Amino acid sequence: GAVVSQHPSRVICKSGTSVKIECRSLDFQATTMFWYRQFPKQSLMLMATSNEGSKATYEQGVEKDKFLINHASLTLSTLTVTSAHPEDSSFYICSASQPFRTQYFGPGTRLLVL
Amino acid sequence: DAKTTQPNSMESNEEEPVHLPCNHSTISGTDYIHWYRQLPSQGPEYVIHGLTSNVNNRMASLAIAEDRKSSTLILHRATLRDAAVYYCILRDEGETSGSRLTFGEGTQLTVNP
C-alpha cells in the first residue's frame, strides 16, 4: 500500500506553546488529506478535511483558529496546534487520499502538553 | 453516513481462522465496505474493501452478504500480530473528492498463543 509519514512521532511541549505536525504522502499525490484525533481507549475522531490549495473543512466542535491546517502541496499537509493546553494532549493521525482511491494513514503523532 | 455495528471484542487462538462480523443494514447502493485495523499506538492500516462480490487479498478475505446488509472479515490463520482493533466502515464512493471515513468503536481482537 501507499506510504504516509508523520513528523514528529511524539512531542512534549509546555502549555501555551504551538506545535506543528507534518503529514507527507511519500509515493502518491494526495488531493485530500484528513486529520484525526484519538484519545486513550477511544476511536478516531475526524477533525478536518483539507483539499490541496483550498481551505480546510472543520468538523463541528473543532476550533479552526486553534487547529491550523495547511495543505500547500499534493504531498504535504501540516497541522499546527496553537497555544496548546493539557487537554489537547492526544494522538493525532493524518490520512491521505485520491478520488475513488483507498485512504492511507500515517503512523500518528503523540502530543503531550505539560 | 450509514452506520455499522460490530461486536466490542472477540478472541481467537493462534493459527485458527477468525471471522469478524459487521452489520450495516442501512447501507446504500454507492457505499463500499472498508476494513481497517489499528495496532496499539499506530495509525489505522488498510485491510480490504469491497462492494458486492467477495474479495480476497494477502491479508484477509471479505465475505459480503447477498443483500449487502452484513459482511464478514476473515483472517484465515490468526497470528499474534493480528491482535488489533478492527474497524468496519462504509464509504460513499459516489463522491468525486476523497471521501471521509467515520470510525465506530470497532472490534478488539485478542489472539491467544
Side-chain angles (χ1 to χ4, degrees):
Chain A
V3 179
V4 177
S5 70
Q6 281 184 243
H7 178 80
S9 58
R10 57 176 59 228
V11 56
I12 301 173
C13 69
K14 293 182 179 179
S15 187
T17 60
S18 294
V19 174
K20 180 186 283 188
I21 303 169
E22 289 186 353
C23 175
R24 294 182 184 273
S25 58
L26 299 183
D27 52 1
F28 71 104
Q29 293 186 322
T31 48
T32 306
M33 286 186 169
F34 303 85
W35 287 95
Y36 296 81
R37 181 167 54 180
Q38 185 175 32
F39 293 107
K41 306 290 185 185
Q42 295 185 22
S43 189
L44 283 77
M45 294 293 295
L46 179 65
M47 299 175 67
T49 302
S50 83
N51 292 299
E52 185 264 341
S54 59
K55 289 184 179 180
T57 302
Y58 290 81
E59 295 299 303
Q60 192 171 10
V62 178
E63 299 174 55
K64 63 179 181 180
D65 294 329
K66 181 169 181 63
F67 299 99
L68 302 178
I69 292 172
N70 184 283
H71 189 170
S73 78
L74 286 171
T75 58
L76 172 65
S77 176
T78 60
L79 168 68
T80 301
V81 183
T82 62
S83 187
H85 291 284
E87 58 265 30
D88 298 322
S89 299
S90 189
F91 192 47
Y92 291 86
I93 307 168
C94 72
S95 68
S97 177
Q98 295 175 313
F100 309 109
R101 297 288 184 91
T102 299
Q103 196 174 129
Y104 292 97
F105 287 80
T109 296
R110 191 160 301 282
L111 170 64
L112 176 61
V113 184
L114 301 176
Chain B
D1 295 332
K3 287 190 65 175
T4 63
T5 305
Q6 299 176 252
N8 288 335
S9 62
M10 290 186 66
E11 274 193 50
S12 172
N13 295 320
E14 201 173 7
E15 298 190 2
E16 290 186 356
V18 182
H19 290 232
L20 297 165
C22 181
N23 287 319
H24 29 79
S25 59
T26 60
I27 191 170
S28 72
T30 53
D31 282 335
Y32 275 71
I33 302 158
H34 288 251
W35 284 82
Y36 285 79
R37 70 180 185 182
Q38 186 179 25
L39 279 66
S41 298
Q42 295 187 27
E45 175 187 25
Y46 167 77
V47 178
I48 201 167
H49 77 283
L51 181 64
T52 56
S53 304
N54 294 344
V55 184
N56 299 296
N57 66 21
R58 63 174 182 82
M59 288 182 70
S61 295
L62 177 59
I64 302 172
E66 199 167 328
D67 63 4
R68 301 210 325 125
K69 294 186 176 183
S70 66
S71 60
T72 303
L73 179 70
I74 303 166
L75 307 180
H76 296 286
R77 288 184 66 201
T79 69
L80 297 179
R81 288 176 295 179
D82 291 323
V85 178
Y86 285 77
Y87 296 100
C88 168
I89 304 168
L90 301 184
R91 175 173 151 173
D92 185 355
E93 304 292 341
E95 298 180 27
T96 55
S97 61
S99 49
R100 53 191 288 171
L101 297 174
T102 301
F103 284 79
E105 298 305 312
T107 297
Q108 174 69 62
L109 175 66
T110 301
V111 180
N112 301 313

